[in-house]
Amino acid sequence: MNLLLKSATLIAFLATSSVHASDRSEVIYYFDSELAADPAAVPMSAGSESTGKGTVTVKNDGTVTMDIMWVIRGEDGPINEDNAVIGMHIHTGDEYTNGPIVFGFCGQAPLPSFGGTCQQGWSSDSAQIATKYAGKICDMNVKDCYNYGQTSAKEAAQLLIDGREDMYVNIHTTKSLAANGKAGALGLIRGQLRLKEESSPADSDGDDWSHMTSTSREMKPSLRGGSV
């Protein structure tokens, strides 16, 4: 009887562990990004009044999506056939660094297309909005892709979640590419990704996705791989 009891207890423990592991894999992380000129990393962007704001949703399985709004102002615009939005990406690096692409959302020549041509928006005095852009891992074996394209989407997402790599959102235009010249595709406006919150899935007793908690770097450094 004792052996049967122990076996039943072990089976129950393994089943519970499996449920908890499944729950952890479904946690969703939300990152905010405030985009603007960053002359420290992109000297040619000095004086730009263009801005943007994005929310990036990240899952442990490597799924990455982005909602983003941007306004191209002054000499940076207008956005048209001669000055298109030619790329939106997540790169590695802090506000002083120009790093390789980790995830791409959209683009056109001479930059990679990833999910297809970027939404170009409307008149130059309107805010441009794009929702639910699906990120694709930069998997080309070139230096412009993180780790020469050898990192999977799941691994890259975990780097962001754990805070082992600083990352930023970058918007590229035809004009900004030309202005940066030999320096390369440094982008027009950019913003660091900051962890906003996490949402846990339903637990085993059927509760809904109610475990919404603020998880900024300052409040939960453990999620960012240690103190900051």
Side-chain angles (χ1 to χ4, degrees):
M1 291 294 295
N2 288 340
L3 180 58
L4 290 175
L5 180 61
K6 289 180 180 179
S7 297
T9 302
L10 177 59
I11 291 171
F13 171 78
L14 292 174
T16 302
S17 298
S18 177
V19 169
H20 289 168
S22 175
D23 285 352
R24 285 196 298 273
S25 69
E26 294 176 353
V27 174
I28 301 175
Y29 299 83
Y30 300 91
F31 293 81
D32 281 345
S33 179
E34 297 282 347
L35 286 75
D38 184 5
V42 187
M44 292 303 296
S45 70
S48 172
E49 297 180 352
S50 298
T51 57
K53 183 175 183 179
T55 298
V56 174
T57 303
V58 182
K59 297 182 180 180
N60 297 82
D61 65 1
T63 302
V64 175
T65 58
M66 179 172 68
D67 297 322
I68 190 166
M69 178 276 290
W70 69 99
V71 183
I72 306 300
R73 297 186 174 95
E75 295 183 359
D76 296 339
I79 297 300
N80 53 32
E81 291 183 359
D82 297 321
N83 181 37
V85 176
I86 58 174
M88 294 187 193
H89 314 131
I90 292 175
H91 298 248
T92 55
D94 59 22
E95 58 267 35
Y96 303 101
T97 306
N98 294 296
I101 301 170
V102 185
F103 292 97
F105 297 94
C106 61
Q108 65 187 65
L111 301 185
S113 63
F114 290 105
T117 303
C118 297
Q119 180 177 315
Q120 300 301 307
W122 307 280
S123 60
S124 59
D125 59 352
S126 299
Q128 321 301 309
I129 301 172
T131 61
K132 295 297 180 290
Y133 265 132
K136 292 190 175 182
I137 191 68
C138 193
D139 58 3
M140 295 168 282
N141 186 19
V142 295
K143 65 180 180 63
D144 292 328
C145 285
Y146 178 75
N147 193 29
Y148 283 79
Q150 302 306 301
T151 299
S152 70
K154 184 175 181 179
E155 291 168 336
Q158 202 63 50
L159 290 173
L160 177 59
I161 291 168
D162 293 343
R164 285 178 282 156
E165 288 281 6
D166 289 321
M167 297 189 191
Y168 61 92
V169 175
N170 203 354
I171 293 180
H172 303 258
T173 65
T174 306
K175 278 189 178 180
S176 70
L177 182 64
N180 287 310
K182 293 182 179 180
L186 305 185
L188 174 63
I189 54 175
R190 53 188 273 173
Q192 297 300 128
L193 285 168
R194 308 293 184 190
L195 185 62
K196 177 183 178 183
E197 60 191 7
E198 70 169 303
S199 177
S200 300
D203 58 27
S204 57
D205 62 7
D207 288 345
D208 60 12
W209 291 59
S210 58
H211 305 94
M212 189 75 78
T213 54
S214 173
T215 53
S216 68
R217 290 189 179 194
E218 292 75 16
M219 294 178 69
K220 289 194 175 181
S222 61
L223 287 175
R224 308 295 303 177
S227 58
V228 177

